[in-house]
Amino acid sequence: MNAHSQTRPAVRSDWSRAEIAALFDLPFNDLLWQAQASHRAHHEANAVQLSTLLSIKTGGCPEDCGYCNQSVHAETGLKATKLMDVRAVLQSAAQAKDNGSTRFCMGAAWRNPKDRDMPAIVEMVKGVRQMGMETCMTLGMLTGDQAKTLADAGLDYYNHNIDTAPERYQEVITTRTFEDRIETLEHVREAGINVCCGGIVGMGETRADRVGFIHALATLPIHPESVPVNALVPVKGTVLGDMLADTPLAKIDEIEFVRTVAVARITMPGSMVRLSAGRESMSDAAQALCFMAGANSIFTGDKLLTTGNAGDDKDAALFAKLGVTPMAAPCKVELVAE
Ligand code: SAM
Ligand code: DTB
Ligand code: SF4
């Protein structure tokens, strides 16, 4: 540490869009070099954290997110279910733990939880924590009181994505606003729960939209502890799935996806960057580039919430090829000034 560094912390929330666009524009090798340097300065070089998802309440959601097959506005034939029993959720968590996962993420297709749902949710958080796993919930919008209830139950993380650039939000979702999303994130922060917040690329957005998306995350007063970068899983019957099925750009270019991961890593050096949905259709080489670009977390198992995932055997083979090891214990990054 030198004298100068004391006034210039490593983590910045004052990124300009121009600076982020300039990172995206770097020659690919230079971008990856910078991302890899940042990754190594703040994280274990060859360790990847494993989280497992479970849909605890599937389908029938009143929101109209254009990417989502769980919306009542989508015609995907997905069967809506009621909230799962606490015991069944805990069985599923135990299995995830046996498979080496350290965090269990429970997702519900809700606009927001009802207060009558909270006792069961609290039991799920307590039960999973007792097994020694970290807990994460994604239940839609929360009031301040609901966030406090979750914090008191011991919830470690709350996932609530901004999904895309603020200026593009209403093109993707009309039933809530970007500001609604930010409000819930504030409630989560105030309650002292770690924030998991990211979004989706490959929704037909432009490079400028991706710049706006990363900018919105990297200028949050405190960066999310966890940043999931999803590649759209196009599902037939959803607005975006159908729209992209008819265009040659149905899938995000893999190099552009890696660039997005790298820019997330550089701008949010202390965050865990999660290579999230869309991995099933990515080559080993593209995933290896994502790890090189600073991704250090994945979802494991053969299912995300409702769609397919790479699966434990495939991931074990990939990790062996790359010499990557599962992150043993929950990792809390202590950032020091440069
Ligand atoms: N209902 C809650 C909400 O929207 O906050 C929680 C569940 S929702 C399924 C969680 C996240 O999954 C979304 O914010 C979105 O980023 C991601 N997601 C949903 N459908 C997706 C798809 N088809 N492809 C990629 N990511 C998707
Ligand atoms: C996140 O950013 N990605 C996960 C998790 N947070 C909840 C969800 C991905 C869902 C993909 C579509 C599905 O399987 O339903
Ligand atoms: Fe509902 Fe979440 Fe799907 Fe949007 S992403 S439709 S809020 S389940």
Side-chain angles (χ1 to χ4, degrees):
M1 194 191 284
N2 55 39
H4 173 66
S5 67
Q6 286 169 0
T7 54
R8 194 166 66 89
V11 174
R12 298 173 44 195
S13 285
D14 62 351
W15 291 94
S16 70
R17 285 199 183 213
E19 283 177 301
I20 293 174
L23 288 172
F24 265 101
D25 285 344
L26 281 173
F28 191 66
N29 281 345
D30 292 347
L31 177 62
L32 253 63
W33 178 262
Q34 210 173 307
Q36 190 43 211
S38 170
H39 180 63
R40 282 170 183 265
H42 301 294
H43 302 272
E44 288 179 70
N46 297 299
V48 169
Q49 188 270 334
L50 309 183
S51 292
T52 303
L53 282 164
L54 176 69
S55 180
I56 57 171
K57 195 271 164 218
T58 304
C61 181
E63 303 270 35
D64 70 351
C65 312
Y67 46 78
C68 187
N69 60 343
Q70 302 202 65
S71 164
V72 286
H73 304 270
E75 287 173 18
T76 59
L78 185 76
K79 199 171 157 277
T81 66
K82 288 199 297 203
L83 183 62
M84 280 174 73
D85 280 343
V86 175
R87 207 187 310 168
V89 171
L90 299 186
Q91 270 170 3
S92 189
Q95 203 176 354
K97 191 182 177 195
D98 283 349
N99 291 338
S101 189
T102 59
R103 190 178 307 163
F104 197 61
C105 308
M106 295 157 269
W110 284 328
R111 174 174 164 82
N112 52 264
K114 304 219 168 36
D115 284 340
R116 66 162 189 262
D117 300 316
M118 293 308 282
I121 295 290
V122 162
E123 287 314 305
M124 291 173 195
V125 172
K126 287 185 173 166
V128 175
R129 273 202 118 216
Q130 270 169 12
M131 291 176 191
M133 288 181 96
E134 288 183 317
T135 51
C136 178
M137 286 266 173
T138 179
L139 313 169
M141 292 185 270
L142 295 181
T143 63
D145 283 347
Q146 288 173 330
K148 281 194 201 83
T149 303
L150 291 172
D152 290 344
L155 184 71
D156 297 293
Y157 288 81
Y158 195 77
N159 167 245
H160 201 64
N161 290 343
I162 58 159
D163 280 321
T164 191
E167 63 274 20
R168 197 159 180 268
Y169 204 74
Q170 293 305 114
E171 283 174 42
V172 179
I173 301 145
T174 70
T175 48
R176 58 170 189 262
T177 63
F178 189 84
E179 289 67 37
D180 288 333
R181 236 33 198 174
I182 297 294
E183 198 179 304
T184 290
L185 290 170
E186 285 169 0
H187 292 154
V188 171
R189 269 272 170 251
E190 276 161 23
I193 301 168
N194 289 310
V195 169
C196 172
C197 181
I200 311 178
V201 292
M203 297 196 291
E205 74 281 344
T206 61
R207 163 72 72 82
D209 294 330
R210 286 186 283 278
V211 169
F213 159 56
I214 298 288
H215 178 259
L217 293 171
T219 54
L220 286 170
I222 302 173
H223 291 165
E225 280 72 19
S226 179
V227 177
V229 183
N230 297 276
L232 178 74
V233 179
V235 183
K236 205 163 167 282
T238 61
V239 174
L240 284 161
D242 288 347
M243 198 171 92
L244 293 173
D246 299 331
T247 70
L249 291 173
K251 206 174 149 229
I252 177 93
D253 175 73
E254 286 186 335
I255 297 296
E256 185 66 12
F257 186 85
V258 176
R259 281 187 183 274
T260 310
V261 169
V263 177
R265 163 54 62 232
I266 294 166
T267 53
M268 294 171 278
S271 306
M272 302 292 287
V273 175
R274 183 169 307 112
L275 174 54
S276 304
R279 232 163 38 79
E280 197 188 18
S281 56
M282 264 179 216
S283 64
D284 282 1
Q287 292 187 61
L289 282 175
C290 288
F291 295 137
M292 195 175 253
N296 58 349
S297 170
I298 58 168
F299 286 122
T300 58
D302 51 18
K303 208 167 164 196
L304 293 164
L305 288 172
T306 64
T307 66
N309 193 27
D312 291 332
D313 292 349
K314 259 187 158 177
D315 286 341
L318 176 63
F319 278 27
K321 253 199 247 186
L322 302 178
V324 162
T325 50
M327 208 171 272
C331 149
K332 181 91 190 127
V333 178
E334 293 286 337
L335 276 172
V336 287
E338 280 170 333

